[in-house]
Amino acid sequence: MNSGKLLIAFFGSFLLVGCKEKPKEKSEMETAQPNIVLFFVDDMGWQDTSVPFWTERTPYNDLYQTPNMERLADEGMKFTQAYATAVCTPTRVSLMTGMNAARHRVTNWTLRKDQLQPMETNHKTLSFPEWNVNGMSPVEGINKAVYATPMPQLLQEAGYFTIHAGKAHLGAIGTPGEDPLNLGFDVNIAGHAAGAPESYLGTENFGNGKKGKEVWAVPGLEKYHGEDIFLTEAITVEAMEAMDAAIEKNQPFFLNMSHYAVHIPIMADDRFVQKYYDKGLDTIEAKYASLVEGMDKSLGDIMDFLEDKGQTDNTIILFMSDNGGLSVHARGGERNTHNKPLNSGKGSAYEGGIREPMLVKWPGRTAPNSVTDNQVIIEDFYPTILEMAGVKNYKTVQAVDGVSFVPTLENKNNNFEDRPLFWHYPNEWGPSGPGIGASSTTRVGDYKLIYYYMDSRMELFNLKDDIGETKNLVEEEPEKTKELAKILSDYLREVEAQIPAKKESGEQIPYPDEVLNINNK
């Protein structure tokens, strides 16, 4: 090596050492607002990946092929106890508002303005509350909608170019919340009121033109109509073009990469499905696995795009799912088993319905290939993303329930230890299965209490010892049951959560602590 190269190498090493010794000094990466990509998957279960989120690998981890999730896990932090709600719209509204579902009252999935779901109006024994069927709204005065300051609006005001790509499902048809452009997004790619695509196939125009199916047709992708392209791919291409526009303007961007996959209809992504047929999988499950792998390819394409554009070191990537994996219907094989060792799936208060695969890569802040058992919940993303973006002293019209998990990402003191988590679903989803039905739930430490409104029944589990929620400890641990019932009841009262009533009498179902008091007399 000549003397000039030696000098350059020495000077480069000196700079690197200086950065390590003084991490708070403002390098170019630190002074620039980071780009933020939220890679949000629909209905993806905790086990729908080759990345193990448990203490051991399972057969599902060997079945699914998600090499780009593996890549992201190698470069960032894996969250083993991350939670959403059991169905999609409540999760999405919590993400955009920072509110728990019990407070924002968008407790079921939305679609048509002012309308309860038929399975709620026709329930035999319960009368359900008038929840916020119209979703969220950025403006006051929308009936049956939660008025809130959307996270993208705050990012937009802070100078971010904000991009929504894919499923929105935040507001009912004919309300402001149905259009992401009203919620602080500069660009809306294919997002509208519906929560599922009529078709994943460009050759079928993504459902456009199907008589009677217009509500489910994916909007805004006309240039791909008639083309042999899968919806996941088309949305990814459009998202990369939008990011490129922001880069050209030298503007930081926030991308809400919100895939319709892996929601029904379960359709084969022909790029990947044959290998699963060859493995002898059930036909439906082979198609489902191809949906998962196509989603993973999108993640890899975005990571490659960021690398090609020189944005990797200044881009945060968060990976999350909106509820547990579908298992009670529409799947192949035995029902309610697709998320094992977790019990049940989408729509359920059990872990299979609410525990999610979550990964975060924050260059220079998260240790590569790191793992945390800290418990986080979907409303925590709101203050976390704003903190990541450097947005301070922001004002919202709503109370924010979420807590930033930035300290966890930086391996600082755990600010989540024994923090109660809450789920509130005073609704009827439709299908019958384990843990499915109107319920409220809390988790405190390792213990989880579920209260079912239909019969005022309670279940208590120690998730550390029993991740599959197989042993109800209510009789065995009465004091712990009372403790969690009190915590849950106090919270429901505090946020004025809506509670179902008995259909015959109109009398409100009692709170769980009231049930225990009655039973202990």
Side-chain angles (χ1 to χ4, degrees):
M1 185 181 288
N2 61 37
S3 58
K5 289 182 178 178
L6 279 170
L7 182 61
I8 291 170
F10 172 78
F11 186 65
S13 299
F14 173 79
L15 286 176
L16 286 172
V17 170
C19 286
K20 288 178 181 177
E21 289 178 346
K22 298 179 180 179
K24 298 300 183 184
E25 283 187 4
K26 294 189 176 181
S27 66
E28 182 179 347
M29 187 184 81
E30 289 170 326
T31 54
Q33 289 174 292
N35 305 312
I36 301 171
V37 174
L38 173 58
F39 196 93
F40 205 47
V41 189
D42 194 10
D43 282 9
M44 182 184 180
W46 195 60
Q47 288 279 48
D48 293 345
T49 172
S50 52
V51 177
F53 284 83
W54 196 27
T55 52
E56 57 191 73
R57 290 190 68 83
T58 70
Y60 287 117
N61 298 142
D62 294 327
L63 167 64
Y64 295 107
Q65 296 186 27
T66 56
N68 296 296
M69 285 186 68
E70 294 177 35
R71 173 181 168 192
L72 187 60
D74 287 342
E75 296 175 4
M77 178 175 284
K78 178 168 65 175
F79 285 71
T80 64
Q81 300 190 85
Y83 290 100
T85 70
V87 294
C88 47
T89 309
T91 286
R92 292 165 187 273
V93 173
S94 289
L95 168 69
M96 290 295 166
T97 66
M99 305 169 77
N100 184 271
R103 191 189 297 274
H104 65 58
R105 297 184 174 185
V106 187
T107 47
N108 207 356
W109 60 277
T110 60
L111 183 60
R112 301 190 187 280
K113 189 176 180 181
D114 297 332
Q115 291 185 21
L116 284 171
Q117 305 297 351
M119 52 277 205
E120 294 182 314
T121 55
N122 298 329
H123 199 275
K124 291 181 179 179
T125 60
L126 291 179
S127 176
F128 296 102
E130 292 286 329
W131 56 279
N132 280 331
V133 296
N134 290 330
M136 68 173 291
S137 174
V139 296
E140 281 188 280
I142 305 299
N143 188 39
K144 296 180 185 175
V146 60
Y147 171 44
T149 306
M151 175 178 61
Q153 177 183 315
L154 295 173
L155 292 170
Q156 188 182 59
E157 291 170 358
Y160 274 80
F161 186 70
T162 50
I163 308 160
H164 172 84
K167 173 173 170 173
H169 207 194
L170 291 160
I173 296 168
T175 69
E178 75 169 320
D179 187 349
L181 295 179
N182 294 328
L183 302 176
F185 285 104
D186 294 301
V187 174
N188 173 30
I189 301 163
H192 64 145
E198 173 57 29
S199 173
Y200 279 98
L201 305 179
T203 53
E204 296 183 355
N205 301 337
F206 309 120
N208 288 274
K210 287 191 178 182
K211 191 173 181 181
K213 302 291 185 179
E214 293 85 357
V215 70
W216 304 106
V218 180
L221 297 173
E222 288 81 6
K223 74 189 209 182
Y224 299 101
H225 288 186
E227 299 294 320
D228 184 15
I229 188 169
F230 208 73
L231 178 60
T232 307
E233 179 81 358
I235 292 172
T236 304
V237 171
E238 291 296 301
M240 290 190 293
E241 288 185 8
M243 286 189 289
D244 201 30
I247 293 168
E248 286 294 316
K249 294 190 291 184
N250 198 29
Q251 187 176 359
F253 59 81
F254 168 66
L255 169 64
N256 186 39
M257 183 69 254
S258 180
H259 277 297
Y260 284 94
V262 293
H263 197 286
I264 57 170
I266 298 175
M267 303 179 77
D269 188 329
D270 287 340
R271 297 172 296 173
F272 308 106
V273 73
Q274 189 59 48
K275 70 177 78 170
Y276 298 105
Y277 290 145
D278 294 343
K279 287 181 178 182
L281 258 67
D282 171 287
T283 301
I284 295 174
E285 290 304 284
K287 293 176 181 178
Y288 185 81
S290 76
L291 278 172
V292 171
E293 191 166 351
M295 171 280 301
D296 184 77
K297 179 185 182 295
S298 169
L299 175 64
D301 289 346
I302 287 172
M303 293 175 75
D304 290 344
F305 169 86
L306 294 169
E307 188 172 330
D308 292 343
K309 295 293 181 176
Q311 298 294 315
T312 296
D313 289 342
N314 193 41
T315 301
I316 300 165
I317 302 177
L318 305 97
F319 183 104
M320 186 60 169
S321 175
D322 71 341
N323 49 247
L326 184 66
S327 191
V328 72
H329 67 88
R331 295 289 300 271
E334 185 180 352
R335 292 183 178 185
N336 306 311
T337 64
H338 302 87
N339 300 297
K340 280 189 172 293
L342 304 185
N343 195 348
S344 200
K346 178 179 179 178
S348 174
Y350 288 140
E351 293 293 286
I354 57 176
R355 194 184 286 215
E356 315 303 334
M358 176 178 166
L359 302 165
V360 180
K361 175 189 174 184
W362 190 355
R365 305 290 275 272
T366 53
N369 198 28
S370 54
V371 180
T372 180
D373 296 326
N374 287 359
Q375 300 166 25
V376 297
I377 193 166
I378 189 65
E379 53 260 32
D380 295 335
F381 278 69
Y382 187 100
T384 301
I385 289 173
L386 291 173
E387 183 174 349
M388 288 172 161
V391 181
K392 300 177 181 178
N393 302 319
Y394 54 88
K395 290 186 169 95
T396 63
V397 297
Q398 74 276 20
V400 173
D401 297 302
V403 178
S404 172
F405 51 80
V406 165
T408 294
L409 296 171
E410 296 178 330
N411 199 27
K412 293 180 180 176
N413 291 335
N414 176 9
N415 57 335
F416 293 103
E417 191 171 358
D418 292 336
R419 172 184 65 143
L421 302 181
F422 298 100
W423 295 264
H424 184 56
Y425 189 73
N427 306 81
E428 175 64 28
W429 185 45
S432 298
I436 296 175
S439 65
S440 291
T441 304
T442 187
R443 179 173 179 181
V444 184
D446 293 326
Y447 284 88
K448 177 179 171 185
L449 180 81
I450 306 173
Y451 176 63
Y452 297 97
Y453 289 103
M454 175 91 98
D455 53 9
S456 295
R457 178 172 50 93
M458 294 179 218
E459 293 180 324
L460 178 72
F461 302 104
N462 184 324
L463 296 179
K464 184 176 182 181
D465 299 335
D466 179 23
I467 196 171
E469 296 168 291
T470 62
K471 186 178 181 182
N472 185 0
L473 302 173
V474 164
E475 298 295 331
E476 196 173 309
E477 300 196 37
E479 293 307 312
K480 182 59 74 172
T481 301
K482 289 179 184 177
E483 177 191 339
L484 266 65
K486 184 74 165 65
I487 290 171
L488 177 57
S489 301
D490 286 347
Y491 181 74
L492 295 174
R493 292 186 184 101
E494 176 192 339
V495 300
E496 299 181 344
Q498 295 176 296
I499 308 294
K502 297 175 184 176
K503 197 163 196 175
E504 194 172 283
S505 67
E507 181 184 356
Q508 180 178 299
I509 305 295
Y511 292 101
D513 62 352
E514 293 174 340
V515 172
L516 290 177
N517 288 337
I518 291 168
N519 290 342
N520 288 334
K521 284 182 180 178

